[in-house]
């Protein structure tokens, strides 16, 4: 025993080994916990966007594309956000395992806890429209994302199939208004005997989805009009956006007419 201790001391002196300060272990532990928290937060954001895309999707329009519901389902699932959620749940588990005492926790228990936290926090973020806002940031700034992972605009730019979406640019009355689609074409919408679905409001600057049929080159007969974003989170965020736009208009009007 004495020989082993002596050899150990000689090696320490020879290799000039010094003890690692305690603060380094503490810093590593704190940083690992920080990354664990960030993984949970990003996982929750991914779940909020995932929830938004699932709940706001128009699952009943598959028949307009001559597809079965299963084919439409497979093509519409938000795979990118499912992958994001899975990756950051894995990272949360990995980071927790590297904290002090983290090795004692079983993997499946850590994953279950991470999933529960992500679902609760992600649902909370979704309820305030955060999922839609994050999705809009990606869709507005990354054309590849918009064309590959979020094809709402492409889906609702199919007037020949009976699907038309866009921004209302002029309102004559609730039964007649002008709409600019996502290819910047202006359509005259006829909405007599039309089913208004959900919390939809016909007002300038509002975005809507319309099911109907074309008549002539730029006239569209609306059979059903839907809000652009369905679901509570989307409706709340839409009201927030409309109120913000109205406040900006009022503010500008106040500057011009003091």
């Amino acid at each position: 025993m004495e020989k082993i201790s002596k050899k150990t001391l000689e090696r320490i002196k020879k290799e000039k080994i010094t003890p690692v300060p305690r603060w380094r272990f503490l810093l590593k532990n704190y940083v690992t916990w920080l990354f664990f928290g960030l993984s949970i937060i990003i996982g929750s954001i991914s779940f909020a966007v995932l929830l938004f895309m699932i709940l706001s999707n128009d699952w009943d329009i598959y028949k307009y594309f001559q597809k079965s519901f299963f084919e439409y389902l497979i093509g519409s699932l938000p795979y990118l956000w499912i992958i994001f959620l899975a990756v950051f749940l894995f990272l949360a588990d990995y980071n927790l395992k590297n904290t002090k005492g983290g090795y004692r926790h079983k993997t499946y228990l850590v994953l279950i806890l991470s999933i529960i936290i992500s679902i609760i926090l992600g649902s909370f973020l979704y309820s305030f429209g955060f999922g839609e806002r994050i999705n809009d940031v990606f869709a507005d700034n990354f054309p590849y994302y918009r064309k590959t992972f979020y094809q709402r605009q492409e889906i609702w730019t199919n007037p020949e199939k009976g699907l038309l979406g866009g921004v209302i640019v002029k309102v004559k009355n609730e039964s007649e208004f002008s709409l600019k689609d996502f290819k910047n074409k202006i359509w005259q919408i006829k909405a007599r005997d039309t089913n208004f679905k959900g919390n939809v409001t016909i007002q300038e600057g509002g975005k809507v989805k319309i099911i109907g049929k074309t008549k002539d080159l730029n006239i569209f007969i609306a059979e059903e009009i839907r809000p652009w974003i369905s679901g509570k989170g989307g409706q709340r965020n839409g009201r927030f956006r409309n109120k913000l736009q109205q406040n900006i208009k009022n503010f500008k009007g106040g500057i011009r007419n003091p």
Side-chain angles (χ1 to χ4, degrees):
M1 190 72 179
E2 291 182 3
K3 289 183 179 180
I4 295 174
S5 299
K6 188 176 180 180
K7 286 182 178 180
T8 302
L9 290 172
E10 288 176 354
R11 184 182 175 187
I12 291 173
K13 290 179 180 179
K14 183 178 179 181
E15 298 182 10
K16 297 180 180 180
I17 299 173
T18 56
V20 178
R22 184 170 178 271
W23 66 266
R24 289 191 182 181
F25 289 105
L26 292 174
L27 179 62
K28 180 183 177 182
N29 200 50
Y30 292 148
V31 169
T32 306
W33 274 109
L34 175 63
F35 278 108
F36 170 75
L38 287 175
S39 298
I40 290 293
I41 291 172
I42 297 175
S44 300
I45 292 172
S46 299
F47 183 80
V49 180
L50 177 63
L51 194 60
F52 159 73
M53 294 185 74
I54 290 175
L55 295 181
S56 67
N57 194 28
D58 300 283
W59 297 106
D60 60 336
I61 63 172
Y62 63 92
K63 56 188 176 182
Y64 293 95
F65 295 95
Q66 287 76 50
K67 292 182 179 180
S68 68
F69 177 76
F70 182 74
E71 289 174 322
Y72 185 72
L73 172 66
I74 295 300
S76 301
L77 286 175
Y79 295 104
L80 176 67
W81 294 102
I82 293 174
I83 293 171
F84 271 15
L85 179 60
V87 167
F88 284 102
L89 286 175
F90 169 79
L91 290 176
D93 173 67
Y94 175 81
N95 284 306
L96 184 61
K97 289 294 182 63
N98 283 278
T99 60
K100 184 179 179 180
Y103 63 90
R104 300 192 188 100
H105 303 291
K106 295 182 179 180
T107 298
Y108 75 92
L109 291 177
V110 174
L111 287 176
I112 290 174
L113 178 62
S114 300
I115 290 171
I116 291 173
I117 295 174
S118 295
I119 289 175
I120 294 173
L121 183 56
S123 298
F124 178 79
L125 293 173
Y126 163 78
S127 69
F128 282 92
F130 198 76
E132 181 188 355
R133 295 177 203 179
I134 293 297
N135 180 74
D136 286 349
V137 169
F138 276 78
D140 293 341
N141 294 282
F142 302 100
Y144 181 77
Y145 174 87
R146 185 172 59 250
K147 292 180 180 179
T148 307
F149 301 107
Y150 188 66
Q151 299 179 342
R152 187 185 300 273
Q153 291 186 4
E154 283 73 16
I155 288 174
W156 287 95
T157 310
N158 282 287
E160 69 284 353
K161 295 182 182 294
L163 303 174
L164 181 65
V167 180
I168 299 172
V169 292
K170 187 177 181 181
V171 178
K172 183 176 181 181
N173 52 58
E174 196 174 59
S175 299
E176 294 185 35
F177 57 90
S178 301
L179 179 135
K180 182 169 69 173
D181 69 14
F182 300 108
K183 292 183 178 179
N184 295 318
K185 179 178 179 179
I186 302 297
W187 293 84
Q188 303 303 316
I189 309 299
K190 306 295 183 181
R192 296 183 180 86
D193 300 321
T194 299
N195 177 29
F196 290 84
K197 186 176 181 179
N199 187 27
V200 61
T201 303
I202 304 302
Q203 61 182 13
E204 292 183 13
K207 292 173 72 174
V208 293
K209 298 175 292 191
I210 307 174
I211 296 176
K213 55 186 177 182
T214 57
K215 183 181 180 181
D216 298 330
L217 294 176
N218 66 332
I219 297 176
F220 196 82
I221 308 300
E223 298 172 359
E224 180 178 292
I225 299 179
R226 305 178 178 187
W228 179 248
I229 299 297
S230 305
K232 293 181 180 179
Q235 290 173 8
R236 184 177 288 107
N237 197 27
R239 290 194 294 268
F240 171 81
R241 186 187 296 113
N242 291 338
K243 186 175 181 181
L244 178 62
Q245 290 175 345
Q246 187 61 45
N247 288 337
I248 291 173
K249 288 182 181 178
N250 294 338
F251 178 72
K252 290 180 177 178
I255 293 177
R256 292 172 184 170
N257 303 295

